[in-house]
Amino acid sequence: MDDNSFFSIDRLVEFGLGMSMAQQMVQMMNQTMSQMHVPGSIHTMPAPPVQTIYFAIDGNQVGPVTESEVARLVDEKKVTKDTLAWMPGMAGWKTVGQIPEILKIIALTPPPIPSKS
C-alpha cells in the first residue's frame, strides 16, 4: 500500500480528525443558535393565557371552568347568552352576552353533529 492510497494510516487519521472537528463545529453552531434571540420569531411569543371562568348554573357557582370546558357546557345547554358569568378582573357578575371573551369561545365552538334520521 502506498502513501497516496486512501486506506493508508495517514489518510485515515486525517479523515478521522476532520470528522471530529466537523462534529464539534456543528455542536457549537447548534448551541449558539439555540441561545440566539430573534425578535418576532415564533419562539419568543408567549402562549395566550388560559382564561378562568365562573358560571352561575341553577343557582350554584360552577368553576373555575377552563375555555375547553365552556364548549361542553354550551353543548349541554347549561350555558346560554343569559347565564351569569364572572372572570378575574371583572367587578361583578354579567350575562355571557355581555362578555366578549366568552362569546368568542362560544362562537368558535362547532355545533353538534346532526343525527341521521
Side-chain angles (χ1 to χ4, degrees), residues 16-92:
L17 289 172
M19 288 298 293
S20 175
M21 288 176 58
Q23 288 176 341
Q24 289 177 358
M25 289 171 53
V26 168
Q27 288 175 351
M28 287 299 292
M29 287 173 53
N30 285 338
Q31 180 181 3
T32 301
M33 291 183 77
S34 69
Q35 295 173 353
M36 187 182 298
H37 173 74
V38 179
S41 73
I42 192 79
H43 299 295
T44 60
M45 295 175 58
V50 175
Q51 292 286 346
T52 303
I53 304 166
Y54 294 85
F55 291 106
I57 299 175
D58 297 327
N60 297 314
Q61 178 178 312
V62 176
V65 176
T66 62
E67 291 179 6
S68 60
E69 294 170 320
V70 172
R72 179 182 55 82
L73 292 171
V74 169
D75 190 42
E76 294 173 356
K77 309 264 189 276
K78 292 183 179 179
V79 171
T80 66
K81 66 178 179 65
D82 298 319
T83 304
L84 290 176
W86 180 85
M87 295 171 40
M90 291 175 50

Side-chain angles (χ1 to χ4, degrees), residues 3-24:
D3 288 337
N4 291 331
S5 170
F6 177 76
F7 296 106
S8 70
I9 293 294
D10 291 340
R11 298 283 184 242
L12 290 175
V13 169
E14 289 174 7
F15 180 75
L17 289 172
M19 288 298 293
S20 175
M21 288 176 58
Q23 288 176 341
Q24 289 177 358

